[in-house]
Amino acid sequence: MTRTVTANITLSLDGRVNGVGGDFDMGWIVPHAITETSRNHMMRVTEPATTILLGRKNYEGFAGFWPAVADDENAAPQDRAASRWMTETEKVVFSSTLTEATWQNSRIVDAEPADVVKQLRGEDGGDIVVLASVSVIKALLAADEIDRLSITLAPELVGGGARLFEDGLPSSSWSLVDSTPTESGALCLLYDRVRS
């Protein structure tokens, strides 16, 4: 069985992954991430995955937030399920500076994401999903190692910040396989890589 590599990310209408305030300027994402439809989309994208790929910043942010959500009675049921899934699922963390991964089922690798993905593709398991880690997604796009793009397109112009799709990426073709509008006006989009 082939392991599909899915990159999951939220983008603004002007193609940004964060705002002018830098890496953690993401308040504009929140209203679009907490809708019923966007939560269901996220569950659909992650359900077949048995491996999560994360960069250091996302790993540290996720590890500081998600583990406690599973037992939070006030959290949405989808968020509690997502928390349990993330804790139980293998997490590969790309970092040259982290020395230990304290979140259960995590391991740190100091290697090129494309090399690790090629190795993972040869192992048994379900799909591989990159959760919002821009550096990892960019490296895998550059190496043509992404099979599916899961983009939540938020109806926001943030006016600055980092872009996911920068000049210099190799050209590629994608086929829209699903488009679902959310209650906030965001679009949950799924694109599959078209390979000749």
Side-chain angles (χ1 to χ4, degrees), residues 5 9 16 27 31-32 36-37 58 85 97 110 113 127 136 144 193:
V5 178
I9 194 84
R16 310 294 180 165
H32 308 293
E36 189 82 9
T37 302
N58 270 42
W85 172 80
T97 56
D110 184 3
D127 290 353
V136 178
D144 199 15
R193 177 76 170 92

Side-chain angles (χ1 to χ4, degrees), residues 7-19 23 25-35 38-39 41-42 45 58 62 130-134 137 149-156 158 160-165 182 184-189:
N8 183 76
I9 194 84
T10 299
L11 296 178
S12 64
L13 288 178
D14 49 348
R16 310 294 180 165
V17 294
N18 57 34
D23 288 341
D25 183 355
M26 297 176 149
W28 56 273
I29 290 175
V30 175
H32 308 293
I34 60 172
T35 68
S38 61
R39 284 178 163 126
H41 170 80
M42 186 68 182
V45 167
N58 270 42
F62 283 21
V130 189
L131 292 182
S133 295
V134 176
I137 295 172
L149 284 169
S150 165
I151 296 171
T152 298
L153 186 63
E156 307 284 344
V158 295
R163 293 185 185 276
L164 177 63
F165 303 114
T182 74
S184 70
L187 278 177
C188 294
L189 304 167

Side-chain angles (χ1 to χ4, degrees), residues 52-67:
I52 300 168
L53 306 182
L54 293 166
R56 176 189 58 80
K57 290 176 196 166
N58 270 42
Y59 174 75
E60 290 178 331
F62 283 21
F65 174 78
W66 279 108

Side-chain angles (χ1 to χ4, degrees), residues 6-132:
T6 299
N8 183 76
I9 194 84
T10 299
L11 296 178
S12 64
L13 288 178
D14 49 348
R16 310 294 180 165
V17 294
N18 57 34
V20 292
D23 288 341
F24 302 104
D25 183 355
M26 297 176 149
W28 56 273
I29 290 175
V30 175
H32 308 293
I34 60 172
T35 68
E36 189 82 9
T37 302
S38 61
R39 284 178 163 126
N40 290 340
H41 170 80
M42 186 68 182
M43 289 185 76
R44 199 175 79 200
V45 167
T46 57
E47 196 173 36
T50 58
T51 302
I52 300 168
L53 306 182
L54 293 166
R56 176 189 58 80
K57 290 176 196 166
N58 270 42
Y59 174 75
E60 290 178 331
F62 283 21
F65 174 78
W66 279 108
V69 174
D71 298 321
D72 181 354
E73 293 174 7
N74 297 315
Q78 299 100 318
D79 291 349
R80 295 180 72 180
S83 169
R84 285 190 295 276
W85 172 80
M86 278 191 261
T87 295
E88 293 163 6
T89 302
E90 173 191 36
K91 290 168 287 297
V92 179
V93 184
F94 293 93
S95 177
S96 57
T97 56
L98 280 181
T99 54
E100 65 172 347
T102 54
W103 194 3
Q104 184 181 327
N105 297 315
S106 300
R107 63 185 170 99
I108 299 164
V109 294
D110 184 3
E112 287 299 317
D115 294 337
V116 173
V117 163
K118 285 174 187 160
Q119 181 184 339
L120 288 168
R121 283 188 194 270
E123 298 172 4
D124 288 338
D127 290 353
I128 300 162
V129 64
V130 189
L131 292 182

